[in-house]
Amino acid sequence: MQVQIFSSSSAAYDVLILPVSSGKALTNAGQEIDAARKGVLTQILEKADKFKGDKGQTFYSDLNGDEQYKGVLFFGLGEVQKLKTLDFETCGAKVFTAVKGKGKKVAAALEGFAEDRSVAAMAEFANGARLKSYRFDQYKTKTKKDDGVDVFAVIGGKDASLASNAYKEFAAVTDGVFEARDLVSEPANILNPVSYAKRVKAMFKKLDVKVKVLDDKKMEKMGMGAIVAVGKASETPSRMVLMEYNGLGKSSKTPEAAFVGKGVTFDTGGVSIKPGAGMEDMKFDMAGSAAVVGLIKALAGRKAKVHVVGAIGLAENTLSERAYRPSDVLTTYSGQTVEVINTDAEGRLVLADTLSYVQDEYKPKTIIDLATLTGAMMVALGEQYSGTYTTTKKLYHDLERAAEATLEDVWRMPLHKAYDKQVNSPIADMRNLGTSRYGGACSAAAFLHRFIEDGTEWAHMDIAGVAWWKADTTFVPKGATGYGVRLLNQFVADRYES
Ligand code: BES
Ligand code: ZN
Ligand code: ZN
């Protein structure tokens, strides 16, 4: 869907979208449109009993015989003075849902609709609508759904050009969200570690991001025994991709923060094979990496004033005579050894080498990793929150604040030496599976913690429950959510840019 922001337009549209505040009050712009139609809109509003102009309400009516619009969709704002960024985004998303299926070209007349906040509010509204418009249907050759909106115009009057500039920032972030959703939606025969690395390299050619790809041979030589082992069985072996974005210029030598993602392009479980039912879901096991790619794309796209690095560990966990197996002892890039108890606990192995390499190479003060790491996390928190482990209260606090502003929720989980004890091995430095049946997400976090150097501020976000949703939510049509992009973009803006 294309968002266009004009000062005025005499083109014909399928639907006119009009804001209404509490008590069904039209804006000045709305009143002008109404007057030109001899009060038809006011009459429709008067007849709509249930529609009161409350925040989030919508009401649609045909406009018989109107020369410019086939129908009108009113949406409620409630008390406009009280609304914030998230409210306008939410409004936009709700309006998109209500207008979907009513026409290909729609226009929202928003001039002055949020009083002195109208410029930003228009951008936020348009962004909310676009977030909800996402679809992934490129593999449907016959029955593509025909209810999409092609053009979403915002008519902004004198504020249009400022609103259009403000919108560009939001659009860059949403481009990042869509990139993440696309990557997660791709099936595993299309997106494998090799094609994924190529795609990232190509994507950032146009943006100011330095991309480095380590292939399996190089990683093997460098001593990355864990990520290489996980991808060993696959025809498309492991890759690590580093994406450095420096929006601060020469004054900044090292990135302030690193974002690290699990990129298992398909997780069969390997020799410790998963049950067949539902295994197709495991194409999403690279959602952490997709969030990192989307985030870097968002930051570079909006030219954020920050220096960061993204690192993704890519591997396909599958079966062949070359597969790694339970009982194997792997030597990681950190030098620490790991006894493999279960080849399905592969994410932590991929992340171990990626985390170590990032610290070694870039020395960031702060690291945040994202991973669809454990089913146990879903058992604990369901599909609403990512389980977020942090070494400092401050980091959790900053993430929580960003979560509240983006509707990408976090919930704090514990790092405790009791979980750490559970990953000791009698024959190696550690094992890749906790000894207890319980608290699997926490022992996984404890395992990762062993690869974080003292003094590095670290967060681990287990996103197993939030990376893919089976039903629509405010900004997310069902499917890949793109969780993490908006959240971490907000975190970066709050923490490093203001
Ligand atoms: N990718 C899975 C985690 C997962 C499972 C996410 C189900 C979402 C839904 C991960 O690699 C895995 O298989 N974890 C195992 C760990 C176990 C072997 C310790 C799990 O959660 O069962
Ligand atoms: Zn697994
Ligand atoms: Zn996995």
Side-chain angles (χ1 to χ4, degrees):
M1 183 177 88
Q2 226 196 319
V3 169
Q4 303 170 342
I5 303 182
F6 302 126
S7 54
S8 65
S9 170
S10 54
Y13 290 93
D14 295 308
V15 184
L16 165 68
I17 297 166
L18 273 187
V20 175
S21 44
S22 294
K24 303 196 195 181
L26 285 171
T27 59
N28 288 342
Q31 286 174 23
E32 277 174 33
I33 298 170
D34 187 36
R37 287 165 176 74
K38 303 199 172 70
V40 166
L41 300 177
T42 312
Q43 285 163 25
I44 294 171
L45 269 178
E46 273 165 10
K47 275 191 226 140
D49 302 332
K50 293 205 186 98
F51 180 78
K52 306 256 182 300
D54 296 342
K55 189 171 106 182
Q57 271 193 314
T58 57
F59 179 77
Y60 176 83
S61 169
D62 283 332
L63 279 179
N64 297 320
D66 193 274
E67 283 179 10
Q68 195 174 5
Y69 308 107
K70 290 187 191 140
V72 59
L73 180 83
F74 296 101
F75 70 96
L77 288 166
E79 291 176 60
V80 182
Q81 302 84 351
K82 291 191 181 159
L83 305 185
K84 302 193 171 66
T85 298
L86 196 53
D87 298 304
F88 289 109
E89 286 183 320
T90 304
C91 249
K94 286 194 171 149
V95 163
F96 174 82
T97 305
V99 87
K100 196 173 126 188
K102 301 221 168 358
K104 295 272 163 218
K105 279 183 77 180
V106 305
L110 300 185
E111 182 175 2
F113 83 128
E115 300 169 4
D116 54 355
R117 213 188 162 289
S118 291
V119 168
M122 275 184 221
E124 292 153 3
F125 179 89
N127 185 52
R130 177 161 172 245
L131 272 168
K132 192 63 183 278
S133 76
Y134 177 80
R135 45 172 81 195
F136 186 82
D137 57 6
Q138 71 203 69
Y139 297 114
K140 281 188 169 293
T141 63
K142 295 194 185 88
T143 50
K144 276 193 208 283
K145 266 199 182 161
D146 199 30
D147 61 356
V149 175
D150 294 336
V151 173
F152 194 99
V154 170
I155 311 301
K158 59 183 183 329
D159 292 331
S161 77
L162 286 175
S164 178
N165 277 339
Y167 175 72
K168 281 185 195 136
E169 290 246 332
F170 287 96
V173 179
T174 299
D175 287 346
V177 174
F178 283 15
E179 186 67 51
R181 290 179 186 172
D182 281 349
L183 286 165
V184 173
S185 305
E186 286 289 1
N189 63 327
I190 304 292
L191 197 79
N192 58 55
V194 175
S195 64
Y196 192 167
K198 281 190 190 141
R199 178 162 164 170
V200 172
K201 190 135 206 192
M203 171 191 322
F204 286 122
K205 282 233 163 78
K206 292 154 261 163
L207 289 165
D208 197 14
V209 176
K210 234 195 284 170
V211 178
K212 182 163 84 177
V213 178
L214 304 180
D215 67 19
D216 54 314
K217 294 207 181 69
K218 180 98 202 264
M219 290 194 287
E220 177 123 45
K221 274 203 199 108
M222 292 166 75
M224 298 187 179
I227 188 173
V228 172
V230 172
K232 198 90 187 172
S234 176
E235 267 195 53
T236 50
S238 304
R239 296 286 185 265
M240 193 182 291
V241 184
L242 294 310
M243 298 155 273
E244 188 175 359
Y245 167 70
N246 182 4
L248 298 177
K250 290 211 179 71
S251 65
S252 173
K253 296 278 175 282
T254 54
E256 286 161 291
F259 299 94
V260 175
K262 169 179 174 182
V264 172
T265 57
F266 196 77
D267 184 9
T268 65
V271 170
S272 316
I273 196 164
K274 285 183 182 295
M279 202 202 273
E280 68 278 9
D281 292 349
M282 284 301 130
K283 73 170 182 179
F284 96 136
D285 210 18
M286 34 57 70
S289 69
V292 171
V293 173
L295 173 69
I296 302 294
K297 183 168 176 172
L299 296 174
R302 69 172 180 80
K303 300 191 167 53
K305 291 272 172 286
V306 69
H307 184 178
V308 295
V309 63
I312 55 177
L314 308 180
E316 181 186 10
N317 188 21
T318 191
L319 286 147
S320 76
E321 75 279 9
R322 295 189 306 272
Y324 82 128
R325 53 186 101 57
S327 88
D328 284 1
V329 173
L330 312 175
T331 302
T332 63
Y333 183 67
S334 71
Q336 302 178 90
T337 54
V338 182
E339 181 189 9
V340 176
I341 303 298
N342 188 315
T343 62
D344 197 9
E346 84 298 337
R348 63 198 75 181
L349 297 172
V350 169
L351 283 174
D353 281 342
T354 315
L355 288 166
S356 298
Y357 182 72
V358 159
Q359 290 166 93
D360 205 31
E361 186 71 10
Y362 299 96
K363 312 207 166 11
K365 287 191 221 49
T366 305
I367 301 182
I368 297 177
D369 77 67
L370 302 105
T372 48
L373 202 64
T374 64
M377 193 74 257
M378 299 179 75
V379 174
L381 294 182
E383 300 183 88
Q384 190 57 42
Y385 299 94
S386 72
T388 299
Y389 301 79
T390 65
T391 54
T392 65
K393 277 197 177 136
K394 167 90 173 86
L395 183 52
Y396 182 73
H397 172 266
D398 289 354
L399 288 167
E400 192 177 37
R401 195 169 82 150
E404 279 161 11
T406 54
L407 293 189
E408 295 187 346
D409 290 330
V410 298
W411 196 264
R412 194 165 187 193
M413 295 289 291
L415 291 167
H416 191 285
K417 59 181 185 312
Y419 303 112
D420 177 75
K421 247 177 45 201
Q422 294 177 15
V423 295
N424 284 330
S425 155
I427 74 155
D429 297 329
M430 67 196 96
R431 42 188 267 151
N432 79 331
L433 187 69
T435 45
S436 168
R437 281 180 57 197
Y438 307 114
C442 300
S443 50
F447 180 98
L448 295 179
H449 200 178
R450 292 196 179 195
F451 296 87
I452 302 296
E453 288 155 24
D454 287 344
T456 301
E457 188 187 33
W458 171 62
H460 158 59
M461 310 181 77
D462 192 331
I463 61 168
V466 292
W468 188 279
W469 282 336
K470 292 198 160 79
D472 288 17
T473 58
T474 307
F475 298 128
V476 187
K478 68 174 189 254
T481 62
Y483 180 99
V485 177
R486 274 164 58 79
L487 173 75
L488 295 174
N489 171 70
Q490 187 71 41
F491 166 83
V492 166
D494 293 345
R495 199 182 228 225
Y496 302 111
E497 295 180 283
S498 54

